[in-house]
Amino acid sequence: MYAPKPRPVTFALGLLGSVFTAQLLAAPEAEKDEPAPSPTLELPKTSITAQGLGAITEHTGAYTTGSTNTATRLNLSIRDTPQSVSVVTRQEMDDFNLNTLTEAMRHTTGVVVQHNDTDRVSYSSRGYSIQNFQIDGMLNTFSNMKTDADTIIYDRIELVRGATGLTTGAGDPSATINMIRKRPTHELAAKVGVSGGSYDDYYSYVDVGGPLGLDGRLRGRSVLAYRDAKSFRDHYALKREVAYGILEADLTDDTTLSVGYDYFNKEVQGTSWGTLPYWNGAGGKAGLGRATNWVAPWSSWPKQDKTAFATLDQRLFSDWRLKAAYTHRISSTDGSVYYAGGGFPQADGTGMQAYTKHMTGDESMTAMDINISGTYPLFGRDHELMFGYGEARFVNTSPWLIDRNPEGYIQVPDWQNLSNVPTFQDINTGLEQSRDTTQQKAGYLATRFNLSDQWHAVLGTRYGSWKGTNLNKEYDETTYRLTQKNKVTQLHNDMLTPYAGLLYDFTEHLTAYVSYTDIFKPSEEKTINKTYLEPVVGSNYEVGLKGSFLQERLNLSSAVFWSTQDNVPVIDDSVPRGPNGEEYYKSAGKGNKIKGFEIELAGEVMRDWNMMAGYTYTHSRDSEGQRLNSASPLNLFKLSSTYRLPGQWRALTVGAAVNWQSDIFREAWRPTGGKDEKGEPITVADTITQKSYTLVDLMARYEFDKHLSATLNVKNLFDQKYYDNVGFYNGVFWGDPRTVNLGIEWKL
């Protein structure tokens, strides 16, 4: 069950071996001291320039980046981007052992991380869920289920807060997460590492890259990683395999082609579905501990992803370039879940019902993008221009399953002992039952217009279409013949999304800005009648001040933001959940408003001292002035800092991270202890609250020499007990306890 899949691993090992082989074969040539011709067209190298940082963060030791294009697709510095931008660099991920996307988001300004269950994590920013994800800037490269993606294959993770309709099309005024893959290196580089930690958490990786031949015109990189971990939660364990390979070739002095493949496979046991009950059957607090996980031993929700991608970088003339990109991803799952999470536990072991389902289906995502960028003269000044076209198609399919479980299967006889629960019984007919399809097409344009030495404008627009289709089929269980088709379609053409930003440089280090963009998001939430809600529409505004110091190695940003939205989906508490525990939604109406303030300092404060510190205040209200999203904190503060000691202690780096958030709460349903005429618990509305709390992490790294180092990480140092989610599924989800991890890394 947990055996590695041979194809991607073989591919990656082959590439790894090719790197070493090519280097050995090239050694005699190097002895001739004949300089190899350098191609004219080069992608950004992993090095620090005299002007400061480049886009790539690996090997820079930095906590910030020199350029970003996630917000506008223009290659701008963080100071020149008229939106709030945060970056989790390779160095910060290595320092604090942030080996999943979820762990990286916990260190990102303004992002709230909450678990819905053991294998589903949601992110939110500025009061709304983050639904826009990118890899290497590609449009909607995957769905939001890949929250435990291994960060070992990424150079950095960029996050743009606020609406990003110019680059992503539809979306909330929350944020966009862009994960930037590692690139091949121009010189041979290799590292291997192993680590072990609390709850039998073991991790290993190998990362090799460098020239493969043709005088450095052909380069490659391969990354392999494996994790085998148990958990503080009863019955839960996972095994995760990651493989990544990329080849990069300078076909001519003006043309660079890259092709690559990444593979992700996660096998789990002890998967839950929802939260823990907060109240018992008598209406008092259930008092369930952090280890509680009421699952059948066979409960599992595995996931596998395979992604192939290619990019072409072509110099046209002067500094004008064409970039074309293509990606194709397929994802699959086949597991069964049995989780005793519904109801209110009684002392005799009764009172609970199970959320149970055969989780099986496939997803596919195909996206392409082509754009042209460069500078143009006008009114005696040079300006930047980028225009392009992109489209993406996402398909999710599920087979028709015939339930063969006995009557009363979801009734839990004893929540104190689930070891005897029989496995899920159903028939996979192989016939397609549901198909969800989403298609986006759009052309876009953006320009940075230099009005004067101090005034600059970033203007852009996106024009395209969005189509979503949900198809459900019904069959006769005897003949397997199709009896009915139910198809629901949303079509939005002529979608125009304007973007405008105005910047003023007070000095060469300090810039003020204001920006505006439209909000448009077709709803994927359904009412109890299985119809889609109306699209969310609105406007997003931002005013800020940014500073860049120490050759752009230190960035300071602050912003005041506000937005208005109509038709925001909210959970409809007036209707019961569906047969499989699914939630139904209703529109919150018109006039939802968000306002807030944020400030962030990121980069090198002084030599050998890196820091990321961010504070966010967010308040959202409906048209009647009532607070929305109370399960997200009003105030959020995050700090990560490391310092390399001087003198004889220079081999030692120490650091700490602090996460603080204000209280959260959500209305839920508490039993009174009585029963209605149907024997169901009588409930009343009540509130589940998590008071403000602080989490502290520590790290220390000792470099024995230039090749070998050891890193110690302690997370949740004071073993703070807290809920990271409240009220979801009428319950709570415990946050992680104290963990200790020790890792050893060797570099070439």
Side-chain angles (χ1 to χ4, degrees), residues 550-667:
L550 303 178
Q551 296 183 325
E552 299 184 351
R553 294 181 65 85
L554 179 65
N555 285 296
L556 174 66
S557 62
S558 61
V560 176
F561 55 87
W562 65 97
S563 65
T564 59
Q565 287 196 99
D566 299 335
N567 308 324
V568 176
V570 295
I571 294 175
D572 189 352
D573 293 324
S574 66
V575 300
R577 294 188 184 91
N580 294 314
E582 61 266 28
E583 300 276 7
Y584 298 112
Y585 291 81
K586 62 181 179 180
S587 173
K590 299 183 179 297
N592 284 10
K593 297 179 180 180
I594 301 174
K595 62 179 181 180
F597 167 80
E598 60 193 18
I599 185 170
E600 180 184 87
L601 177 70
E604 189 178 69
V605 179
M606 57 183 293
R607 183 176 176 84
D608 297 323
W609 182 13
N610 280 320
M611 178 184 292
M612 190 294 301
Y615 166 78
T616 305
Y617 169 82
T618 305
H619 201 166
S620 56
R621 295 182 182 273
D622 61 19
S623 57
E624 298 178 354
Q626 298 298 312
R627 181 181 170 184
L628 295 171
N629 305 310
S630 60
S632 293
L634 287 175
N635 302 275
L636 196 62
F637 173 76
K638 300 186 180 186
L639 168 69
S640 304
S641 182
T642 61
Y643 180 65
R644 186 174 183 180
L645 301 181
Q648 62 181 352
W649 292 98
R650 188 158 180 78
L652 181 63
T653 300
V654 295
V658 177
N659 279 16
W660 172 86
Q661 70 171 50
S662 58
D663 64 296
I664 58 175
F665 61 93
R666 181 183 281 163
E667 189 173 271

Side-chain angles (χ1 to χ4, degrees), residues 436-455:
D436 290 301
T437 305
T438 303
Q439 294 174 284
Q440 290 194 66
K441 300 179 181 180
Y444 52 86
L445 179 148
T447 183
R448 174 178 162 90
F449 197 77
N450 299 308
L451 303 171
S452 69
D453 290 341
Q454 293 177 295
W455 287 95

